[in-house]
């Protein structure tokens, strides 16, 4: 990169972390930035576009449902798109039938052939739990303590093995804590105050965030270490182990891939259906027309999702954060703490699972701290 591209700041990655940061620094700090991305499109894993054969808006890297209870984040995203209410109602297909997730009163009554009310259902599920487990040490113990063997094996054991590629005993208990059990008939996957979709897709949201005269974007432009010398500061939102050329080892991720098909009409009648049974190779099926129920399409676009270990060249999705990963991460964090011209932001750079609203909140907070620490005029 020659001097013609020299900017005050380089932001690596055109997902929510990098683009929100670029916009905040431009608006509130009058700072110029160049946002680069190795892919040929903006929006990172949130990228959406219309499938030519069906006209359906497709989430190219898996479904993204925006949800938040943070009014600051909600006010922020409304600046850049029209948002439409959308409730994600996930189903699970097992040999015994199709059930609602998260586990709720309907799931419990249907699964056990009961007609419980809320109090009786809660007492019944509590009676199923393994009370010999005092402090769950892993995912499986967490499930057995609070759900019992039948619900765990039906809805979580097989799905977890397929999704994470390891025994549930090797995963932290905290993973299951994100999946509530409800003793009413509420079947929304999230509890957030605002649950919405951008009417024209996430790529439009990102494009609107980047639409500022102090922001330049270059796609199909991978990060190269030599770029560091041409900028006053670099904010890196990619994988932290990649930045250091895997010098301390590769962090463990699961990646996903899809078989894509098109058909007439309606394939499964729902946006997402999980397949927990180990006898089925895929983990879930997404039917993208149902992510935009305000649209009408004669044809449908279906993604059958599979999970596997991330290999060189794959897109990292879900950080595994096993004991070995945390040890490797601590070494990368020590290297990052020594940097004076580079900051790390976002889920890949910090090796955490973060939802979109959390990514945006962190980018807003980071921008405030960055501007306070770098009170300089725009170049």
């Amino acid at each position: 990169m020659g001097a013609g591209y020299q900017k005050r700041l380089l932001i690596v990655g055109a997902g929510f972390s990098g683009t929100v940061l670029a916009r905040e620094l431009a608006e509130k700090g009058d700072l110029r930035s160049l946002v680069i991305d190795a892919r040929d499109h903006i929006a990172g894993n949130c990228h959406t576009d219309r499938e030519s054969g069906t006209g359906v808006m497709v989430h190219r890297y898996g479904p993204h449902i925006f949800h938040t209870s943070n009014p600051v984040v909600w006010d922020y995203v409304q600046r850049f798109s029209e948002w439409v209410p959308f409730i994600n109602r996930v189903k699970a297909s097992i040999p015994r039938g199709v059930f609602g997730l998260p586990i709720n009163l309907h799931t419990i009554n249907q699964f056990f052939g009961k007609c419980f009310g809320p109090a009786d259902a809660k007492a019944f599920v509590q009676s199923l739990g393994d009370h010999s487990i005092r402090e769950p040490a892993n995912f499986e113990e967490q499930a057995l303590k609070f759900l019992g063997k039948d619900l765990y094996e039906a809805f979580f054991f097989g799905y977890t093995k397929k999704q994470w590629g390891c025994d549930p005993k090797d995963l932290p208990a905290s993973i299951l804590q994100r999946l509530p059990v409800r003793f009413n008939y509420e079947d929304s996957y999230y509890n957030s105050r605002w649950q919405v979709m951008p009417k024209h897709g996430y790529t439009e949201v990102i494009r609107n965030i980047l639409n500022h005269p102090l922001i330049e974007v270059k796609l199909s432009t991978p990060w190269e270490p030599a770029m560091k010398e041409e900028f006053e500061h670099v904010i890196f939102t990619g994988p932290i182990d990649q930045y250091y050329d895997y010098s301390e080892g590769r962090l463990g991720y699961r990646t996903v891939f899809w078989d894509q098909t098109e058909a007439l009409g309606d394939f499964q009648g729902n946006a997402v259906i999980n397949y927990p049974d180990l006898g089925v190779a895929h983990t879930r099926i997404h039917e993208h027309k149902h992510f935009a129920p305000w649209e009408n399409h004669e044809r449908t676009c279906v993604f059958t999702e599979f999970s596997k270990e991330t290999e060189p060249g794959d897109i990292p999705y879900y950080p595994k954060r096993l004991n070995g990963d945390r040890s490797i991460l601590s070494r990368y964090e020590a290297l990052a703490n020594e940097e004076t011209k580079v900051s790390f932001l976002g889920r890949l750079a910090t090796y955490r699972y973060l939802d979109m609203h959390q990514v945006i909140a962190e980018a807003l907070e980071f921008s405030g701290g960055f501007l306070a620490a770098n009170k300089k005029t725009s170049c």
Side-chain angles (χ1 to χ4, degrees):
M1 294 178 64
Y5 291 112
Q6 189 166 356
K7 303 287 183 184
R8 181 183 299 274
L9 302 171
L10 175 65
I11 298 175
V12 182
F16 268 115
S17 287
T19 57
V20 169
L21 177 62
R23 183 68 179 233
E24 287 294 289
L25 297 183
E27 288 187 343
K28 297 180 179 177
D30 220 22
L31 294 178
R32 294 181 179 274
S33 61
L34 171 63
V35 178
I36 65 170
D37 202 290
R39 302 181 194 180
D40 62 359
H41 60 75
I42 59 174
N45 286 356
C46 297
H47 177 62
T48 53
D49 61 14
R50 292 203 178 273
E51 187 65 29
S52 59
T54 63
V56 173
M57 181 68 76
V58 171
H59 300 218
R60 287 293 170 192
Y61 301 93
H64 288 74
I65 294 90
F66 193 89
H67 63 99
T68 185
S69 296
N70 186 333
V72 174
V73 171
W74 176 231
D75 289 344
Y76 184 82
V77 297
Q78 287 186 94
R79 295 173 52 196
F80 302 104
S81 178
E82 179 181 356
W83 298 82
V84 182
F86 179 84
I87 303 299
N88 190 29
R89 292 187 168 91
V90 176
K91 307 301 178 186
S93 179
I94 63 175
R96 289 177 57 174
V98 178
F99 297 82
L101 290 179
I103 293 173
N104 58 67
L105 187 55
H106 189 199
T107 313
I108 296 165
N109 281 331
Q110 180 186 1
F111 187 82
F112 292 104
K114 304 291 186 179
C115 295
F116 289 132
D120 289 339
K122 185 174 184 178
F124 177 74
V125 171
Q126 287 176 343
S127 74
L128 299 176
D130 186 341
H131 301 294
S132 69
I133 301 172
R134 294 187 177 275
E135 292 295 332
N138 54 57
F139 180 100
E140 180 164 287
E141 289 187 359
Q142 178 81 5
L144 292 175
K145 178 179 175 64
F146 291 103
L147 298 175
K149 181 179 179 181
D150 290 342
L151 289 172
Y152 167 61
E153 292 185 347
F155 296 109
F156 296 107
F157 176 74
Y159 188 89
T160 302
K161 289 198 73 170
K162 291 191 291 183
Q163 175 75 359
W164 293 99
C166 61
D167 194 292
K169 294 177 183 177
D170 297 328
L171 294 170
S174 59
I175 292 178
L176 188 61
Q177 291 169 1
R178 294 198 296 263
L179 301 172
V181 176
R182 302 189 182 119
F183 297 103
N184 55 35
Y185 288 101
E186 173 56 53
D187 63 349
S188 170
Y189 200 70
Y190 305 110
N191 288 318
S192 302
R193 179 178 177 184
W194 294 286
Q195 302 178 46
V196 293
M197 282 285 195
K199 187 172 184 179
H200 304 291
Y202 287 101
T203 299
E204 185 207 52
V205 179
I206 298 296
R207 184 179 297 113
N208 290 339
I209 294 173
L210 290 168
N211 184 19
H212 192 283
L214 295 182
I215 301 174
E216 180 183 352
V217 180
K218 284 185 66 65
L219 301 176
S220 302
T221 305
W223 157 256
E224 297 176 4
M227 296 174 179
K228 180 178 175 180
E229 303 307 317
E230 298 195 29
F231 295 87
E232 186 169 321
H233 200 89
V234 175
I235 297 94
F236 190 82
T237 72
I240 190 170
D241 54 351
Q242 180 191 56
Y243 178 85
Y244 288 107
D245 198 24
Y246 309 102
S247 62
E248 304 301 316
R250 287 184 178 270
L251 292 168
Y253 283 93
R254 293 293 282 180
T255 191
V256 292
F257 61 98
W258 301 271
D259 283 345
Q260 179 178 343
T261 58
E262 297 179 8
L264 282 171
D266 192 339
F267 178 78
Q268 65 182 15
N270 199 56
V272 181
I273 297 182
N274 288 0
Y275 287 81
D277 186 53
L278 282 173
V280 178
H282 52 270
T283 54
R284 53 184 183 169
I285 295 178
H286 319 296
E287 187 169 7
H288 290 258
K289 69 191 301 180
H290 294 297
F291 291 119
W294 55 90
E295 297 183 357
N296 293 305
H297 300 280
E298 291 184 0
R299 297 185 64 79
T300 191
C301 186
V302 179
F303 280 30
T304 301
E305 181 175 306
F306 302 83
S307 177
K308 75 180 190 70
E309 202 69 12
T310 301
E311 300 175 7
D314 289 333
I315 297 173
Y317 281 89
Y318 302 105
K320 297 184 74 170
R321 295 185 69 89
L322 303 181
N323 289 334
D325 297 314
R326 289 195 288 270
S327 177
I328 293 172
L329 177 63
S330 67
R331 297 197 292 271
Y332 284 125
E333 289 174 334
L335 293 174
N337 288 335
E338 297 175 0
E339 300 282 355
T340 58
K341 289 186 58 177
V342 181
S343 299
F344 297 88
L345 177 67
R347 63 181 187 88
L348 293 175
T350 59
Y351 192 59
R352 292 176 297 155
Y353 182 86
L354 298 172
D355 287 326
M356 288 178 287
H357 66 283
Q358 296 168 318
V359 167
I360 293 170
E362 286 200 354
L364 293 173
E365 181 180 2
F366 180 92
S367 67
F370 187 89
L371 289 171
N374 298 272
K375 293 181 179 178
K376 300 177 182 180
T377 58
S378 175
C379 60

